[in-house]
Amino acid sequence: METVKINVGGSVFETSAVTLSRYPNTLLGRLTKQSKFYDSTRQSYFFDKNPNVFLSILDLYRTGTLHFPSFYCSTVIKQELEFWELSPNMLSDCCLQQYIQSEADIQTTQKLRQTFEEYELDYTEEECRTSQVKRILRKIWLTLEEPSSSRLAKVFNYIFMIFVIVSMVTFVMKSHPSFREETLTYNELLFVIAYRDIRFFKELNLENPKEVMMGTTEPKQALRLSDILTSAFFSAELFFHFISCPRKIKFFRSPLNIIDLFLVFAMWITYALDQEMDILLKNNELLQFYIAMKSLLILRLFRVFRLMKLYSGLRIMMMSIRASFKDLLLLSMTFLITSLFFASFIYYAEFHVADTFSDIFIGIWWSVITMTTVGYGDMFPKSTFGYIVGGVCAFSGMLILAMPVAIFATNFSDFYHKNKLRETRNSLLHNKTKKVETLRNCTVYPLDSYKNSPAIIR
């Protein structure tokens, strides 16, 4: 029997050629004396690899199963499999599960790194060294963009958060009668409708209190001043944010920056039109444009996502939703099909009841409300078969809606723990860099200068 000597990292292994020939399509299965790994002096094959890992590789040829110790990283296993030309499918079931899980963990970590560094722009060292202006712009950029870059940046982001909250609260308060002041009495409104040719007032529905309130009142002075102040703050923030950006084109790769730009224009356009209310009311096309701009100002609520850099948990939540998108889409399709299924059933179950479920479209509304356990009670079955369909529909809704919660929670937990690991690693690197810089800045005095010092304890 021909014996083959294999030198792996200084450790010599002996096996038979018959054993290696069990897998002829692998590196070891094709070894010949003409191979580049053959050492004619020692009459053995030399591989500059880890001998401990090779034990698992050689056992595959001996036993027919490929196992790796659990403490080996999947990256090490992957590199070894590629070098020895082995397929991951050769791994035993126990090790394959661990290998796949490790690969998934690596992919999750890479996604986190890509997500958190996706829009991270900065000036190069060369730009900062050669230009004083670039150094100033970099300080402004880091203050506005990176909350962890300095104490000033963190303070600014808290101020930004306060302005976002004030903007949202002002937006909500302006819809309540208590925070509006009267500009037209009800009798004056009737007079305007009857004797003045203003389309806005003529089309006003007097039976709708919301339309009457919007036509006869305006926000109080304090709320209007708050709107101007927040608009000025966000306009200045967007201006300096854009001016200090190191790559102007990439600035608008972020959807939040595009929304900010749109909101700034919309806020100042509506403010300008507010000053010319007479012209606005007489021009119906301009009025419709004004109403559209006003309604789209609700997008200001998206500014809260700018705080994702301050609170990484918000970004983790968005990543979890994105990672669960395919599963949620599948469950949504299942939910819609089930809703249509029960809508059709309830329509025919209540077919002989005159005052319920006039068509299947109403049944879809009922099934959605029932499956989500909202239960408005505006539509409900009245027959025995209808009760049965309703009970099965509610039970099915609980089962369907319970599944996406588990999927989302699993993805969120996975991303959250991996992000904690990433932040810990970055913190350790940051502390190490600071220590090195501190040591470099220390002044080293000659030993002779301390000999006569009374502070030295001999």
Side-chain angles (χ1 to χ4, degrees):
M1 181 182 296
E2 183 182 356
T3 303
V4 179
K5 291 184 179 181
I6 304 174
N7 186 341
V8 181
S11 299
V12 179
F13 299 85
E14 291 190 16
T15 186
S16 67
V18 176
T19 301
L20 297 180
S21 65
R22 291 179 180 177
Y23 297 96
N25 295 325
T26 62
L27 178 62
L28 292 179
R30 296 196 310 270
L31 286 179
T32 63
K33 292 184 178 180
Q34 288 74 36
S35 171
K36 64 179 182 179
F37 300 104
Y38 185 71
D39 185 356
S40 58
T41 304
R42 299 181 181 181
Q43 296 184 350
S44 64
Y45 297 91
F46 176 75
F47 299 93
D48 191 13
K49 303 291 289 183
N50 189 336
N52 295 323
V53 180
F54 182 73
L55 281 172
S56 300
I57 302 295
L58 190 56
D59 281 343
L60 168 66
Y61 294 86
R62 292 169 173 167
T63 63
T65 57
L66 180 58
H67 294 271
F68 281 98
S70 59
F71 54 82
Y72 280 148
C73 172
S74 66
T75 304
V76 173
I77 296 175
K78 184 177 181 179
Q79 291 172 350
E80 292 295 325
L81 293 178
E82 289 177 353
F83 179 80
W84 300 109
E85 299 179 10
L86 300 174
S87 171
N89 295 329
M90 292 180 171
L91 286 166
S92 60
D93 291 340
C94 55
C95 294
L96 181 61
Q97 181 180 359
Q98 179 184 348
Y99 176 80
I100 293 173
Q101 182 60 46
S102 299
E103 285 290 297
D105 291 342
I106 292 173
Q107 291 178 4
T108 301
T109 304
Q110 289 175 347
K111 283 182 182 178
L112 279 168
R113 187 179 295 112
Q114 291 172 0
T115 300
F116 279 87
E117 297 176 359
E118 186 175 4
Y119 300 114
E120 289 184 3
L121 302 174
D122 201 357
Y123 291 88
T124 63
E125 294 184 3
E126 181 66 24
E127 289 175 329
C128 295
R129 186 167 55 251
T130 57
S131 173
Q132 176 69 21
V133 175
K134 292 290 179 66
R135 287 197 292 272
I136 296 173
L137 289 176
R138 183 176 186 271
K139 289 182 180 179
I140 297 173
W141 170 255
L142 291 178
T143 301
L144 300 179
E145 184 71 12
E146 293 293 338
S148 59
S149 61
S150 65
R151 186 173 298 177
L152 177 62
K154 188 168 290 189
V155 170
F156 172 80
N157 275 270
Y158 282 120
I159 294 173
F160 185 89
M161 181 172 61
I162 292 171
F163 272 91
V164 169
I165 294 172
V166 169
S167 176
M168 292 191 295
V169 171
T170 302
F171 180 77
V172 174
M173 291 171 66
K174 287 194 295 186
S175 67
H176 197 278
S178 301
F179 302 99
R180 301 180 70 90
E181 51 191 16
E182 192 176 63
T183 55
L184 279 177
T185 64
Y186 190 76
N187 291 331
E188 289 174 339
L189 176 62
L190 295 177
F191 177 83
V192 171
I193 293 173
Y195 296 103
R196 296 191 64 181
D197 187 22
I198 300 177
R199 186 174 176 179
F200 171 77
F201 289 108
K202 286 189 177 295
E203 294 180 353
L204 204 64
N205 183 6
L206 297 178
E207 296 181 0
N208 187 343
K210 290 183 287 186
E211 290 189 32
V212 173
M213 181 188 71
M214 291 298 175
T216 59
T217 63
E218 66 178 10
K220 290 188 174 181
Q221 180 68 15
L223 296 183
R224 296 202 298 272
L225 291 175
S226 174
D227 253 352
I228 296 172
L229 180 62
T230 54
S231 298
F233 174 81
F234 290 126
S235 300
E237 191 273 341
L238 179 64
F239 174 77
F240 286 108
H241 210 160
F242 177 73
I243 291 298
S244 63
C245 180
R247 307 290 179 267
K248 302 293 189 294
I249 297 177
K250 291 185 178 181
F251 179 79
F252 291 107
R253 283 176 56 188
S254 170
L256 293 177
N257 291 336
I258 297 174
I259 292 174
D260 264 352
L261 180 64
F262 173 79
L263 283 172
V264 167
F265 278 111
M267 285 188 297
W268 289 116
I269 288 172
T270 53
Y271 174 75
L273 292 175
D274 281 336
Q275 311 308 310
E276 301 293 338
M277 194 58 67
D278 292 338
I279 300 175
L280 187 64
L281 295 176
K282 293 177 182 178
N283 190 325
N284 188 61
E285 289 75 15
L286 189 61
L287 178 63
Q288 296 302 320
F289 173 74
Y290 172 81
I291 294 173
M293 288 291 102
K294 273 285 188 182
S295 61
L296 289 176
L297 286 178
I298 194 173
L299 293 176
R300 71 180 70 185
L301 300 178
F302 281 100
R303 281 200 177 108
V304 74
F305 291 107
R306 285 284 300 275
L307 303 176
M308 287 192 298
K309 288 186 175 292
L310 191 60
Y311 302 104
S312 59
L314 286 174
R315 190 175 291 185
I316 295 298
M317 184 180 68
M318 297 302 296
M319 289 185 64
S320 302
I321 294 174
R322 191 185 306 170
S324 310
F325 181 76
K326 290 183 179 179
D327 301 308
L328 294 176
L329 182 62
L330 177 61
L331 289 169
S332 299
M333 293 297 297
T334 305
F335 181 81
L336 291 175
I337 293 171
T338 309
S339 300
L340 181 60
F341 178 81
F342 283 111
S344 304
F345 259 103
I346 199 67
Y347 173 74
Y348 287 105
E350 296 281 304
F351 191 79
H352 296 291
V353 181
D355 58 343
T356 61
F357 303 103
S358 57
D359 51 63
I360 294 180
F361 290 104
I362 298 296
I364 293 174
W365 165 254
W366 167 84
S367 62
V368 169
I369 296 304
T370 303
M371 292 179 70
T372 54
T373 67
V374 175
Y376 286 129
D378 53 344
M379 298 296 299
F380 54 90
K382 295 182 179 179
S383 66
T384 303
F385 287 114
Y387 292 149
I388 295 173
V389 173
V392 176
C393 180
F395 182 73
S396 301
M398 289 191 297
L399 293 179
I400 293 174
L401 294 176
M403 288 187 287
V405 174
I407 294 171
F408 179 79
T410 301
N411 286 329
F412 182 85
S413 176
D414 192 22
F415 279 120
Y416 183 80
H417 290 300
K418 295 293 186 301
N419 185 56
K420 282 294 182 185
L421 178 63
R422 185 191 67 84
E423 290 179 345
T424 303
R425 177 179 293 176
N426 289 343
S427 177
L428 292 174
L429 289 174
H430 179 69
N431 291 337
K432 183 178 180 180
T433 304
K434 287 182 66 177
K435 287 180 179 179
V436 171
E437 290 179 352
T438 303
L439 290 173
R440 286 176 179 174
N441 295 330
C442 286
T443 303
V444 180
Y445 295 96
L447 185 62
D448 293 340
S449 62
Y450 292 100
K451 288 181 178 179
N452 300 322
S453 174
I456 300 295
I457 301 176
R458 296 184 173 85

